[in-house]
Structure formats: C-alpha cells, structure tokens
Amino acid sequence: MSQKGILRPGHVCIRVMDMNQAVKHYTDHLGLIETDRDDQGRVYLKGWDEYDWFSVVLRETQEAGMDFMAFKVRDRVALDSLEKDLKAFGCTVERLPAGELKHCGERVRFDSPAGHYFELYADKDYYGNEVGITNPEAFVDGIKGMGTHRFDHCLLYGDELDGSVKLFRDVLGFDITERVLDGDVMVGAFMACSNKAHDVVIIRHPEPGKLHHVSFLLDSWEEVLRAGDIISKYDLALDIGPTRHGITRGKSIYFFDPSGNRNEIFAGGSTWYPDHPTVTWNAEKLGKAIFYHDRQLNENFLSVVT
Amino acid sequence: MSQKGILRPGHVCIRVMDMNQAVKHYTDHLGLIETDRDDQGRVYLKGWDEYDWFSVVLRETQEAGMDFMAFKVRDRVALDSLEKDLKAFGCTVERLPAGELKHCGERVRFDSPAGHYFELYADKDYYGNEVGITNPEAFVDGIKGMGTHRFDHCLLYGDELDGSVKLFRDVLGFDITERVLDGDVMVGAFMACSNKAHDVVIIRHPEPGKLHHVSFLLDSWEEVLRAGDIISKYDLALDIGPTRHGITRGKSIYFFDPSGNRNEIFAGGSTWYPDHPTVTWNAEKLGKAIFYHDRQLNENFLSVVT
Amino acid sequence: MSQKGILRPGHVCIRVMDMNQAVKHYTDHLGLIETDRDDQGRVYLKGWDEYDWFSVVLRETQEAGMDFMAFKVRDRVALDSLEKDLKAFGCTVERLPAGELKHCGERVRFDSPAGHYFELYADKDYYGNEVGITNPEAFVDGIKGMGTHRFDHCLLYGDELDGSVKLFRDVLGFDITERVLDGDVMVGAFMACSNKAHDVVIIRHPEPGKLHHVSFLLDSWEEVLRAGDIISKYDLALDIGPTRHGITRGKSIYFFDPSGNRNEIFAGGSTWYPDHPTVTWNAEKLGKAIFYHDRQLNENFLSVVT
Amino acid sequence: MSQKGILRPGHVCIRVMDMNQAVKHYTDHLGLIETDRDDQGRVYLKGWDEYDWFSVVLRETQEAGMDFMAFKVRDRVALDSLEKDLKAFGCTVERLPAGELKHCGERVRFDSPAGHYFELYADKDYYGNEVGITNPEAFVDGIKGMGTHRFDHCLLYGDELDGSVKLFRDVLGFDITERVLDGDVMVGAFMACSNKAHDVVIIRHPEPGKLHHVSFLLDSWEEVLRAGDIISKYDLALDIGPTRHGITRGKSIYFFDPSGNRNEIFAGGSTWYPDHPTVTWNAEKLGKAIFYHDRQLNENFLSVVT
C-alpha cells in the first residue's frame, strides 16, 4: 500500500478514577482484551481484531480525560522525519524511551495548538488477533459484551482549532474529510490518515485539551443494536443512540465509562480517498450533521467533555 | 492521507456481447448509473457513491472478458514516476491521450506477466455522488436494483502469477494482504493499495489474461440478501451465494452478466494496514478460504472465466 | 388454524387535516398503496403484503385523531355472536351496512369504556398482495419509502382502562401479553388476539378516546434504520428512535403525520401464546419498558396524543 | 387470544446414536439449554425464550430419526375432545401417563397415514425463559453458539400425504398455508396452527415416517450468518445455506447433527391468518420454492432423511 507516513490511531491513554471499575467496563462491556499491566498500575487493552499489543491504556488518577493519543507510523525513518517536521512547526517534542509503555518502541510526543498531546511511534510488539494468520476463521465468537473490533478514532475539543488542523494537515499529512463551518469559521474538522471517514476529529471549544469521546469499531447496525442492549442491561450511562450520523454516515451510540469519559461504538462510515472533495456542513445544519435522525443536538452532547 | 501513489481501482473495461442487455443488467439490476456513451458505442457507468465520471466501461464485441483495469494515481507526478518504473520493470507501456475515454485524462497502459492489461491515470472529470458535498443526506434512496455503491476490485486468472505479483508489489507498491499456497507455490495473491482487504487479486491459471470476476461494493449483509433476491426475481444466472468468504471475511454473491462475465457483490471485509502480517491459506483449505460456509469449491467457480 | 373469533386489526380510520399532505405521507413515505377513494373523499390504503382491499382509511376533517379501529373476525357466525356479547356487556352497538366503507361488508361498531370506537367485520374484498399466490417471489422491490408491510396495531389512551381491558379480555377474547402496574393499579395493557406481542394497547389517561399511535410493520432492524433515514431526508417530524422497546422487545421509531397523528414503524417483537405468563412492568421501570436504550420517557411521548 | 385448540409444536423426540456428541451439538452449537435427564437416559432441552420445561428430547439408540413430534393444546378439555376426534378419524391412539416424560402431563399419542407418530398434551411444568417476566431485559446475552430462541417446526417425509393432510386439517384444525402441486397432485403441504408460516410440513415420499428436518428459530438474517459461521468454525456438516426460501420467505441454513439428523435454523417467514389464501407452488418451480437464490434442488436435500 502507498501509506508512507502515518498508518492509524495506534493507542489512546485514558484517565480513569477507579481502575477496577474501568477495567470491568472496557473488558466486560466493550469487549476489549486485557493484555498487560505495568509498574505504574496502567492497564493495557486491545480489540480482538488488532494485531499489536495494545490500543488502549488506562491510567488511574483523580481526573478523567485523555493523557494522549498516538499514531503508528510506517517505520523509524518516517518517525525521524516527522519528528523534525513537528519541531519545525513549533511543537514541543519529547522522545519517550522504548518500554516506557510496555511492548512499545520509542515514542515522539508533541503538544498541539488546541491543547492535546499526541504521540508517534513506529514499533509495537506483535500480539496477534484472535483468529490468527494461517487459515483463520472468518469470525470470532466468545468475545465479551459489545465485542469491540478495534480502537477507531478520538474526537477532541480544544481552543486553537485552526492551528491543530494546520498541524495535522500540513505536518502529519492528514486530509480533511468533512468540516463544519459557522459562517466562514471552521468549527469542526474531521481528518483522516487512511481510507476511513475519520481518524481524529477536533472541534472548536473554549477550553483547550478536552476529550469528547473515544470511539471503537463494530461491524454492523445489528452489532450497534446489541451494544445498545448491553448498555441498558448493564445499566451503563447512555448519552444518545442508536442513531446514524450525517457526518461520515456512520451508525453510532454514545455512552460513558464509569469515570465519565464518553465512549462511542461506531459502524460503517463512508470511504475516503485523497482526491475526494471535503464535505461541508453549515453550523445551522449541525443537528442533522451529528444526529441524522433527531436533527437536534442535546446540551449534554455539546458541553460534557473530560 | 498518506496515500502517495496509487489511490484505488478507477475503472474496468468489460467486453459484452449485447450492449442493450448489458446496460440493462448493469443499471437495472446492479444499480449503476449510466453517465455517458462515446462514438465507439462504449457506455460509461458509475456507482451512486463515486465522485468521478465513470468506473465501468462496457464495450460490445464478439467475446466476453476484460479489456483492461485501471488505477487512479494521486497526481501527474506520480503518473510519470510510475510510468518510468513500469518501463524499467520491462512492461510494454503506452500513453493513451486524454479524451480517448471521455472525461478521462492521459492513461498509461501496460501489459503484465499474467497477461492482463492495466492502466494508470491521474485525472478524471468530477461528476459528483448522488448526495452531494454540502450538508448531504446520509443515505440515498431511489437507486435501482442492488444499489451498488462503487466498483470495488477485480479477480483475475493468469499464468505468470509470480511476475504479476512482483509487478504489483515492487513497482506499484501494493501489499499482499492474503495469499494461497500450494505447498511452497503461491497460487493466489490478494493485493491492496489501500486499507481494503483487496483491490486486485490474481490467481494462477494455465491461460493468460482471464477475468474471473468484477466486484461491486454493498454496505451490509442485508443488502447482500436483497441482491440475492433480485438475482432470483429477475432470473439472473447465479454462481454461488449469499455466503461469506474465509479470505477477507467479506459477504458475497457471485453471478453472471448476460455475456457470461462473472460479477460479485461484496460487503464487509477486513481492514488492511501495511504493518499487518499477510494471511496465508493452504491450498487444502481453499474451500473454506473461498466459501466459508460450504467449505468446498464448485467446479464452475474454478473453471469458468472470460 | 385454531383462531376462531377475531383474526387481527383489520383497519383504522385516521382523521387528517389536509388530505393531499396525508396521502403523500402515507404513500410516499410510509409506502402504503392507495387502493380507492369514496364519495365522502375518504382515501383507502394498504400495505404491500396485505391481501384485503384496505387497512387504513384517511378522513379529512378539522381535528386529528382516530375515528375507529376495526378487527376482522373469522366469519359472520362469529360476528353475530360477538355482537350479542358486546350488547350483553353493555356496549352501544351499531350495524353499519356493507359498502358504507367501500369493499367492506357489514360492520358492527361499538363504543368502549375508555372512550374509543371499535368495529368488527367478517368480509372485505380481496385485493391481493404485491407478489401473488402462485409461485410468488419471496420479496418485493419497487415499494415506496419505508416499504410498510402491513398495519400492525394501535396504542390508545383513555380514562376507563379497566373497563376496556375487561371488554377486550372477557368479551373479545384477547389475552393480556404485558401490563404496566403503578403499585397495584394497572396503567397499561398490551393485548393480543394472535401470536403477536400486541394487537391493541390501552394506556390509562385522564381524557377518553385518544390516539397515541398507529403502528406499521417492517421486517428488520435494518429496515428500521432505513425508515429513520427517510424520516430525516424528507424532514418528517420525529418523536423518538430508532430504538428498542423493553415491552415486546420490538424495534421502533415514532414520528408524526402532517396532522400530528403519531405513527410508529415496528419490527420484531416477542411471540405470544395463550399459555404464556403475562409480563409485568412496574411503573418505576416504565422508562426502560418503553425505551430500552434511553431508559427515560420524554414528555412529548407521554402527553402528545390526538 | 382466540387459539382454542392446538397452540404450537411443543416438543420433538429425536433419536441420536451418540448422546454425548448429540448433547454437545444441541447445546454448544445450537445453543439449547439442558434442563433435565431421565432414568432412560433421555436428555431434555429447550431454547432460551421458551417457558415450558423442554421442547427437545434426545434418545440414544441405533438409528437416527424422529420418535414423535408433540403439540401443546390449550387445556385438558381440548385434549379430551381432540382425542375423541382422532379415534373417530381412525388413528390408533394411546394415552401416556403424566411423568412418562419428566415435567410433562398426560400425552395422547397417535399414528398418522404418512407414518409419523404425533402427540398432544395440555400440561408441562413451567421453567421460565432466560429473561423472566417482571421488568425483563429485552434481549439475552451469554447464550451459547447459534443462540436458538425456540423449537419452531418439523418437516416430515411420508407416503400417505393426503391422509396426513386430512388429519391435520380436518381433525386438528391446521390450515394449509402453502402447498406444492405436481400437476394436480399435492406433493407437499405446509400447515400452521398459528400465525406462523408453518408449524408442520409433510412431503410425499415413498417411505413412511421419515424426518427431513427439525427447525429452530432465530431472530434475523444476521443471526443466520452467525449460525453459518459457527457451522464452519466448528466443522458441522452443512447441507445448504445461508439462503432464503421461496416458500414462507424465511431465511435458513440446513445442516446435520452428528447422527445425521438434519437441522434447520430459520428466521423471518411470512405471517399467516386463516382468511389468507393458500399459496400454490408448481413442482416445476420447486427449486425456487425451496432455495430462492439457487433455484435448483440438490440431490442431498431431496433424498437424505432419517
């Protein structure tokens, strides 16, 4: 494939306030698999169809939110090159040694105008997915809860949207797949480093560095229903759904982990190619853009972030 | 996005023996949209969610099969560079002028070891999809028949498999996502230039230059059922399905156009990243690899090509 | 089959305030088929999989709501017998002549304690469904909008719930499949004359004779999504959904016709047999009972009736 | 409800040749729940959404097949009355004492012209379904394998079809929902005692008393796919599917238990009311009637019975 630089969202480090509750939530209900813990008490998780050792790291602390989101790059050459570009852009860049997160190689951490920390890395230990790579079964049974396939994307809220968009587009090579305009002002940017509808989204917001949601991939609208049923049966805090998004066309449910971090499960979504036009949404159509069926936003969705 | 060279399968030129029947098949039943015809009588078609002017060209002649399959590349720089590499590899390369296919820029046509003709191009006129790019609806209704979203991939049969794989991998930058081995001999290569499970597949076969099937994308297992129902209601020639593939995990039906060219409709399929391991299937598991439920191949499927 | 008396909800007469808008709504959007009009200007409609001439009658007037809901009985013997029982119960009973509604035989109309008018009839002209009865196709394409299969049930609000329940259970032979209790007081009764989860529902409410919604049957959760998409694309007034009910387990969307009558599209739902226990919901669980995912009722849903 | 006589297929006694293998098949793969065993070594099973103590009985012996299929009737009055009618029809009728099958009341066993044994019973102990009847969850997770909801119907092969049809229709009150005609000769009768598309089916066949398949209910086309995936993953013997039937419109897969008894899992299917016309299939359309997509019968399907 011709993906030369950044491959995909590789992991997200989520702050939780009670590790036991959080692990139960992300394993029993979302269906992630716990793959390791470290000396700091951080817990490593992955979806059943991911090959690398982890895609979610939980860290227990006093305040919910996101410590950082990381992207895997193709190789160390790309890592070095992107590091140089990030410095040239003006980011504060830090190299974290291999092993600082178990099973992960060196990470290049950088700040961003909208106040979020991101990382790049080229190496992570191979764990394997749940069906293997020699004559594999075409599906997996026995996965818990919603049966999350993989970590998909993050949607972030922050103040300097334009700067963060410039960083992702000009330095990291992301495309803007869809955008929301309030008059001439961009208030939301959906960005992809792949053929997906979005790998990271940033929304203009007064406070910097906020997490709106972490999204996980399912396979179908029927799996979305099942996720909704599990949310109700196990009394998880629903935000909204099941519904479809106007933006991306994806099918979705939003709900909260026990610390108040918003989760999404997501299925479908349009296909992106770099020669496609960016889809534009006007702010007055934002209701339909976000919740295609309701066509109106709930206050909760707009204001609750961690 | 970091796709720098080849973006996707851009069009396929299918030979048909009765144009009226063929157009009816590809529009009324598959749901493609006719977008133009040219002086030579060729008919141009596209799926409802494709932006470019066409992705299928039908040419009436005495014998069914595929004239050529084309890939869109990112820009003219990439086109020129790839042309040079193709020549260096030893391909016979021809530049076709802009407009030779209506709405399409210059095309670089080349032969391949397994006997197929492929093309690269950087420019095609923008037609737009059926929902638009400003506050678009999240779905489309009113599309005919199976409602094909887009042209997805071709599966080709040919003799010099190793050479064609080398060409796609080393020159064009494709990855081998899955492969079939008979002992140590590769007998099938599933290759991607994107995050899809496959963009082109080549299977070892005594005769060069054969077409096994042209595949079109649907959105869900329920759309696959509907496609099967339409095949029956309108008495199209079914090959096999609905079923799931072991290879790619996709859901599928095979059937034939009135000239005997095999079509597939396809939904789902695993996600590919360049750091993923190639999945290997042993020839003795080929039944399960191809038809996950039946676990045995039908003679028709193995031998009927155009 | 051993259904001896009442077979099913046979038709509902809905009052609308603008006939043109209403016909457009029920045909283009819900996908009902217009089968006739009469001298009074009433319009007759049916779902594609119903055999009888109509199941919905629209009547234009100043105020929205339901004129009456009718049940088809097995034959005239059953009709006469039930008429006697209704009179014995104390209903005001009226015989309407054959042809008063076109294509319909004599109807026995009666009032009910909660203030609604119902009818029984044994004969209606045969129209046929859209696939026929000799070597029929297994599905239908080309139906408009949501593609409603059939009229399913009504949910009614009224004051004398206990009396209406007694009427349906003791006189008409319905079973109570599910019920809602507020302490010891029944506040809602889901009742079936068939193996369905409900054929008519009555909810305790201060005002008599109110319509909460008329429900139409779809086949699957994916058809429910499509219905939601159509609601949004054509800007119909959504109430809530797509979602699942706790009661009946059905999948559902509520929305409004142009006159403000609430419609539901419904798929799935549990199977009822007369030896099954009645499922009981406590009022404090009513949120989950009605909207399984949200687990809370919206004010609109509780109070808006016609 | 007005079901006065026979309610539904209540249980089937299947002969198996290796009990351990059979129990593993029906529990781990089909997802039935083992509820008891008796002194004779018979094993009792039920689907998760059935209330009565069992719906499947497995008996180990030398030859596969069906010992008997039983229908639950509304009450003992109906049982006595139907017993009288069966004798008058000429059946050999036997009363089996309560407890001969554990948890089951007295059974009226009778032979039939096509050579099968059937039973009627009015009482069976209440076991409860897996979600309960007070504020129940709307779905169940944690069920094994295919997650069979309930025993649905049997399809039987036998010689005196006309006699058996007469027995079911005239004595037991079943309706013929669909039928297959070879010229003027009925070769297959689909019969219902409910609103289902079929509760029992009998096909004309040279040998009497044969079992073609026992069918179990699933909820959706996606659950049918999952069942197909489980068949492949656990290497069960597939007959055909996933596919749709022309008859009943149901979605289906056929496969075999370890003793060679054919199983079906089934979802959907049209709704029956006693005033509906019988659907007629001509024998020359039998392929489409049975396998709507393939439109041809496989020899296996026609000839392998137990």
Side-chain angles (χ1 to χ4, degrees):
Chain A
M1 191 217 184
S2 38
Q3 271 190 312
K4 291 296 186 222
I6 290 178
L7 300 181
R8 66 173 171 275
H11 58 253
V12 58
C13 183
I14 305 171
R15 293 192 301 267
V16 298
M17 290 147 72
D18 180 310
M19 185 57 81
N20 287 340
Q21 285 184 5
V23 170
K24 184 177 170 52
H25 175 82
Y26 285 98
T27 57
D28 286 359
H29 300 322
L30 274 91
L32 295 174
I33 297 163
E34 183 182 330
T35 56
D36 212 340
R37 300 197 173 206
D38 67 21
D39 293 348
Q40 300 179 36
R42 293 180 300 193
V43 177
Y44 298 70
L45 305 160
K46 67 181 282 294
W48 74 262
D49 199 24
E50 294 178 300
Y51 288 107
D52 285 346
W53 207 281
F54 64 89
S55 59
V56 173
V57 179
L58 302 178
R59 183 171 74 87
E60 193 179 60
T61 180
Q62 301 304 311
E63 194 183 4
M66 181 185 89
D67 276 345
F68 51 83
M69 178 190 184
F71 298 92
K72 190 172 190 183
V73 300
R74 183 117 190 201
D75 52 32
R76 292 181 201 179
V77 174
L79 187 66
D80 293 345
S81 165
L82 287 164
E83 184 181 30
K84 236 174 278 174
D85 297 342
L86 286 165
K87 285 177 180 167
F89 182 80
C91 294
T92 303
V93 177
E94 178 187 11
R95 276 255 172 179
L96 293 161
E100 195 280 331
L101 282 171
K102 288 173 80 170
H103 309 288
C104 190
E106 280 194 307
R107 291 136 60 209
V108 171
R109 183 180 292 177
F110 56 100
D111 62 359
S112 66
H116 305 92
Y117 287 91
F118 297 99
E119 300 182 349
L120 305 178
Y121 67 94
D123 301 296
K124 196 178 278 182
D125 288 349
Y126 179 82
Y127 184 99
N129 71 5
E130 295 296 299
V131 296
I133 58 173
T134 305
N135 304 316
E137 299 301 329
F139 93 118
V140 64
D141 57 356
I143 299 298
K144 289 183 184 173
M146 302 176 192
T148 295
H149 297 228
R150 53 170 61 248
F151 164 44
D152 192 81
H153 68 269
C154 290
L155 190 147
L156 308 171
Y157 273 33
D159 50 350
E160 291 294 334
L161 173 63
D162 298 335
S164 279
V165 169
K166 192 171 164 56
L167 169 64
F168 272 92
R169 192 186 54 202
D170 297 350
V171 180
L172 302 175
F174 282 60
D175 295 319
I176 303 179
T177 62
E178 311 205 21
R179 62 180 181 165
V180 183
L181 295 186
D182 187 357
D184 292 340
V185 179
M186 188 189 291
V187 293
F190 291 71
M191 297 181 286
C193 60
S194 68
N195 299 121
K196 287 163 56 188
H198 48 3
D199 288 300
V200 66
V201 185
I202 308 179
I203 304 292
R204 191 182 295 278
H205 181 75
E207 275 179 299
K210 289 298 178 182
L211 170 67
H212 187 272
H213 67 260
V214 177
S215 184
F216 298 93
L217 189 68
L218 295 185
D219 197 43
S220 68
W221 177 233
E222 186 144 327
E223 288 192 2
V224 171
L225 173 61
R226 182 182 162 80
D229 290 344
I230 285 168
I231 287 168
S232 184
K233 180 166 180 178
Y234 297 102
D235 212 22
L236 312 189
L238 181 75
D239 185 9
I240 191 167
T243 190
R244 187 201 278 277
H245 296 305
I247 298 177
T248 78
R249 300 180 192 156
K251 300 116 191 179
S252 161
I253 305 181
Y254 292 110
F255 55 103
F256 294 95
D257 77 6
S259 304
N261 294 299
R262 191 185 279 98
N263 295 157
E264 181 187 34
I265 56 88
F266 181 85
S270 50
T271 303
W272 173 257
Y273 288 103
D275 66 328
H276 278 190
T278 295
V279 170
T280 299
W281 298 84
N282 300 117
E284 61 271 22
K285 293 283 187 182
L286 195 58
K288 195 164 181 174
I290 304 291
F291 301 127
Y292 188 61
H293 300 131
D294 280 353
R295 287 161 281 160
Q296 56 189 349
L297 296 169
N298 63 69
E299 185 50 33
N300 209 19
F301 185 81
L302 290 176
S303 58
V304 176
V305 290
T306 53
Chain B
M1 189 216 183
S2 37
Q3 272 189 310
K4 290 296 185 218
I6 290 178
L7 299 181
R8 67 172 170 274
H11 57 253
V12 58
C13 182
I14 304 171
R15 294 191 301 267
V16 298
M17 291 149 70
D18 181 308
M19 185 57 81
N20 287 341
Q21 284 183 5
V23 170
K24 184 178 170 53
H25 174 83
Y26 285 98
T27 57
D28 287 359
H29 301 322
L30 273 91
L32 295 174
I33 297 163
E34 183 181 331
T35 56
D36 213 341
R37 300 196 173 208
D38 68 20
D39 292 348
Q40 301 178 35
R42 293 180 299 191
V43 177
Y44 297 70
L45 306 161
K46 66 180 283 294
W48 73 262
D49 198 24
E50 295 178 301
Y51 289 107
D52 284 347
W53 207 279
F54 63 89
S55 59
V56 173
V57 179
L58 303 177
R59 184 171 73 87
E60 192 178 61
T61 180
Q62 302 303 312
E63 193 182 5
M66 180 185 89
D67 277 347
F68 52 84
M69 177 190 184
F71 297 91
K72 190 171 191 184
V73 301
R74 182 116 191 204
D75 51 33
R76 292 181 202 179
V77 175
L79 188 66
D80 293 345
S81 166
L82 287 164
E83 185 181 30
K84 235 175 280 176
D85 297 341
L86 287 164
K87 286 177 178 165
F89 182 79
C91 293
T92 303
V93 177
E94 179 188 9
R95 277 253 173 180
L96 293 161
E100 195 281 331
L101 282 172
K102 289 174 78 170
H103 309 288
C104 190
E106 280 194 309
R107 291 136 59 210
V108 171
R109 183 181 292 178
F110 56 99
D111 63 358
S112 67
H116 305 91
Y117 288 91
F118 298 99
E119 299 182 350
L120 304 178
Y121 67 94
D123 300 296
K124 195 177 278 181
D125 288 349
Y126 179 82
Y127 185 98
N129 72 5
E130 294 297 299
V131 294
I133 58 172
T134 307
N135 305 317
E137 299 300 329
F139 91 118
V140 66
D141 57 355
I143 298 299
K144 289 183 183 174
M146 302 176 193
T148 294
H149 297 229
R150 51 171 62 249
F151 164 43
D152 192 81
H153 68 268
C154 289
L155 189 148
L156 307 171
Y157 274 32
D159 51 349
E160 291 294 333
L161 174 62
D162 299 334
S164 279
V165 169
K166 192 172 165 55
L167 169 64
F168 273 92
R169 192 186 53 202
D170 297 349
V171 181
L172 301 175
F174 281 59
D175 295 319
I176 304 178
T177 62
E178 310 206 19
R179 62 181 180 163
V180 183
L181 296 186
D182 188 356
D184 291 339
V185 180
M186 189 189 290
V187 295
F190 291 71
M191 296 180 289
C193 60
S194 68
N195 299 121
K196 287 164 55 190
H198 49 3
D199 287 300
V200 66
V201 185
I202 308 179
I203 304 292
R204 190 182 296 278
H205 181 75
E207 276 179 300
K210 290 298 180 184
L211 170 67
H212 187 271
H213 68 260
V214 177
S215 185
F216 298 94
L217 190 68
L218 294 185
D219 196 43
S220 67
W221 178 233
E222 187 144 328
E223 287 192 4
V224 171
L225 173 62
R226 183 181 161 80
D229 290 344
I230 285 168
I231 286 168
S232 184
K233 179 166 181 180
Y234 296 101
D235 212 23
L236 311 189
L238 181 74
D239 186 9
I240 189 167
T243 189
R244 186 200 279 276
H245 296 305
I247 298 177
T248 78
R249 302 180 192 155
K251 300 115 191 180
S252 162
I253 305 180
Y254 292 109
F255 56 104
F256 295 96
D257 78 7
S259 303
N261 295 300
R262 191 184 280 98
N263 295 157
E264 180 187 35
I265 56 88
F266 181 85
S270 49
T271 303
W272 173 256
Y273 288 103
D275 65 328
H276 278 190
T278 296
V279 170
T280 298
W281 297 85
N282 300 116
E284 62 271 22
K285 293 283 187 182
L286 195 57
K288 194 164 181 175
I290 305 293
F291 301 127
Y292 187 61
H293 300 130
D294 280 352
R295 286 161 282 160
Q296 55 190 348
L297 296 169
N298 64 68
E299 185 50 31
N300 209 20
F301 185 81
L302 290 176
S303 59
V304 176
V305 290
T306 55
Chain C
M1 190 216 183
S2 37
Q3 272 190 311
K4 291 295 185 220
I6 290 179
L7 299 181
R8 67 174 170 274
H11 57 253
V12 58
C13 183
I14 304 170
R15 294 192 301 267
V16 299
M17 291 147 70
D18 181 308
M19 185 57 83
N20 288 340
Q21 284 184 5
V23 169
K24 185 177 169 55
H25 174 83
Y26 285 98
T27 57
D28 287 0
H29 300 322
L30 274 91
L32 296 174
I33 297 162
E34 182 182 331
T35 56
D36 213 340
R37 299 194 174 210
D38 68 20
D39 292 348
Q40 301 179 35
R42 292 181 299 193
V43 178
Y44 297 70
L45 306 161
K46 67 181 281 295
W48 73 262
D49 199 23
E50 295 178 301
Y51 288 108
D52 285 347
W53 207 281
F54 63 88
S55 60
V56 172
V57 179
L58 302 177
R59 183 171 75 85
E60 193 178 59
T61 180
Q62 301 304 310
E63 194 183 5
M66 181 186 89
D67 276 346
F68 51 83
M69 179 190 183
F71 297 92
K72 189 171 190 183
V73 300
R74 182 116 191 200
D75 51 32
R76 293 180 201 181
V77 175
L79 188 66
D80 293 346
S81 165
L82 287 165
E83 184 181 29
K84 235 174 280 175
D85 298 341
L86 286 164
K87 285 178 178 165
F89 182 80
C91 294
T92 303
V93 178
E94 178 188 11
R95 276 255 173 180
L96 293 162
E100 196 280 331
L101 282 172
K102 288 175 79 170
H103 309 288
C104 190
E106 281 193 308
R107 290 136 59 209
V108 171
R109 182 180 292 177
F110 55 100
D111 62 359
S112 66
H116 305 91
Y117 287 90
F118 297 99
E119 299 182 350
L120 305 177
Y121 67 94
D123 300 297
K124 195 178 278 181
D125 288 350
Y126 179 82
Y127 184 98
N129 71 5
E130 294 297 299
V131 295
I133 58 173
T134 306
N135 305 317
E137 298 301 329
F139 92 118
V140 65
D141 57 355
I143 300 298
K144 289 183 184 173
M146 302 176 194
T148 294
H149 297 229
R150 52 171 60 249
F151 165 44
D152 191 81
H153 68 269
C154 290
L155 189 147
L156 307 171
Y157 273 34
D159 51 348
E160 290 294 334
L161 174 63
D162 298 334
S164 279
V165 169
K166 193 172 164 56
L167 169 65
F168 272 93
R169 192 186 54 202
D170 297 349
V171 180
L172 302 174
F174 282 59
D175 294 319
I176 304 178
T177 62
E178 310 206 20
R179 63 180 180 163
V180 182
L181 295 186
D182 187 358
D184 291 340
V185 180
M186 189 188 291
V187 294
F190 291 71
M191 297 180 288
C193 61
S194 68
N195 299 121
K196 287 163 55 190
H198 49 2
D199 287 300
V200 66
V201 185
I202 309 179
I203 304 292
R204 190 182 296 278
H205 181 75
E207 276 179 299
K210 289 298 178 182
L211 170 66
H212 187 272
H213 68 260
V214 177
S215 184
F216 298 94
L217 190 68
L218 294 185
D219 196 42
S220 67
W221 178 232
E222 187 144 328
E223 288 192 4
V224 171
L225 173 62
R226 184 182 160 80
D229 290 344
I230 285 168
I231 286 169
S232 183
K233 180 166 180 179
Y234 296 102
D235 213 22
L236 312 189
L238 181 74
D239 186 8
I240 190 166
T243 191
R244 186 200 278 278
H245 296 306
I247 298 177
T248 78
R249 301 179 193 157
K251 299 117 192 178
S252 161
I253 305 181
Y254 291 110
F255 55 104
F256 295 95
D257 78 7
S259 303
N261 294 299
R262 190 185 280 99
N263 295 158
E264 180 187 36
I265 56 87
F266 181 85
S270 50
T271 303
W272 173 256
Y273 288 102
D275 65 328
H276 278 190
T278 296
V279 170
T280 299
W281 297 85
N282 300 116
E284 61 271 23
K285 294 282 187 183
L286 195 58
K288 195 164 181 175
I290 304 292
F291 300 127
Y292 188 61
H293 300 130
D294 281 352
R295 286 161 283 162
Q296 55 190 348
L297 296 168
N298 64 68
E299 185 50 33
N300 209 19
F301 185 81
L302 290 176
S303 58
V304 176
V305 292
T306 55
Chain D
M1 190 215 183
S2 38
Q3 270 189 311
K4 292 294 186 223
I6 289 178
L7 299 182
R8 66 174 170 275
H11 57 253
V12 57
C13 183
I14 304 171
R15 294 192 300 268
V16 298
M17 289 147 72
D18 180 308
M19 184 57 81
N20 287 340
Q21 284 184 5
V23 170
K24 185 177 170 52
H25 174 83
Y26 286 98
T27 57
D28 286 359
H29 301 322
L30 274 91
L32 295 174
I33 297 163
E34 183 182 330
T35 55
D36 213 341
R37 299 196 173 207
D38 68 20
D39 293 348
Q40 301 179 34
R42 294 181 298 192
V43 177
Y44 298 70
L45 305 160
K46 68 181 282 295
W48 73 263
D49 199 23
E50 295 178 301
Y51 288 107
D52 286 347
W53 207 280
F54 63 89
S55 59
V56 172
V57 179
L58 303 178
R59 183 170 74 85
E60 191 178 60
T61 180
Q62 300 304 311
E63 195 182 3
M66 181 185 88
D67 277 345
F68 53 83
M69 179 190 182
F71 298 92
K72 190 171 190 183
V73 300
R74 182 117 190 200
D75 52 32
R76 292 181 201 179
V77 175
L79 188 66
D80 294 345
S81 165
L82 287 164
E83 184 181 30
K84 236 175 277 175
D85 297 342
L86 287 164
K87 285 177 179 166
F89 183 79
C91 293
T92 303
V93 178
E94 177 188 11
R95 277 256 173 179
L96 292 161
E100 195 281 330
L101 282 172
K102 287 174 81 171
H103 308 289
C104 190
E106 280 194 309
R107 291 135 60 209
V108 170
R109 183 180 291 176
F110 56 100
D111 62 359
S112 67
H116 306 90
Y117 288 90
F118 297 100
E119 299 181 350
L120 305 178
Y121 67 95
D123 300 297
K124 195 178 279 183
D125 288 349
Y126 179 81
Y127 184 99
N129 71 5
E130 295 296 299
V131 294
I133 58 173
T134 306
N135 305 316
E137 300 300 328
F139 93 118
V140 65
D141 57 356
I143 299 298
K144 289 183 182 173
M146 301 176 193
T148 296
H149 297 228
R150 53 170 62 247
F151 165 45
D152 192 81
H153 67 270
C154 290
L155 189 148
L156 307 171
Y157 273 33
D159 51 349
E160 291 295 334
L161 174 63
D162 299 335
S164 280
V165 169
K166 192 173 166 54
L167 169 64
F168 272 92
R169 192 186 53 202
D170 298 349
V171 180
L172 301 175
F174 282 60
D175 295 319
I176 303 179
T177 61
E178 311 206 20
R179 63 181 181 166
V180 182
L181 295 186
D182 187 357
D184 293 340
V185 180
M186 188 188 293
V187 295
F190 290 71
M191 298 180 287
C193 61
S194 68
N195 299 121
K196 287 163 55 189
H198 48 3
D199 288 301
V200 66
V201 185
I202 308 179
I203 304 292
R204 190 181 297 278
H205 181 74
E207 275 179 300
K210 289 297 178 184
L211 170 67
H212 188 271
H213 68 260
V214 177
S215 185
F216 298 93
L217 189 68
L218 294 185
D219 196 42
S220 68
W221 178 233
E222 187 145 328
E223 287 191 2
V224 171
L225 172 63
R226 183 182 161 80
D229 290 343
I230 285 168
I231 287 168
S232 184
K233 179 165 180 180
Y234 297 101
D235 212 23
L236 311 189
L238 181 75
D239 186 9
I240 191 166
T243 190
R244 187 199 277 278
H245 296 305
I247 298 177
T248 78
R249 302 180 193 155
K251 300 118 192 178
S252 161
I253 304 179
Y254 292 111
F255 55 103
F256 295 96
D257 78 6
S259 303
N261 294 299
R262 191 184 279 97
N263 295 157
E264 181 187 35
I265 55 89
F266 181 85
S270 51
T271 302
W272 173 257
Y273 288 103
D275 65 329
H276 278 189
T278 295
V279 170
T280 298
W281 297 84
N282 300 117
E284 62 271 22
K285 294 282 187 183
L286 195 57
K288 195 165 180 174
I290 304 291
F291 301 126
Y292 187 61
H293 301 131
D294 281 351
R295 286 160 282 162
Q296 55 189 349
L297 296 169
N298 63 69
E299 185 51 31
N300 209 20
F301 185 81
L302 290 176
S303 58
V304 175
V305 290
T306 54

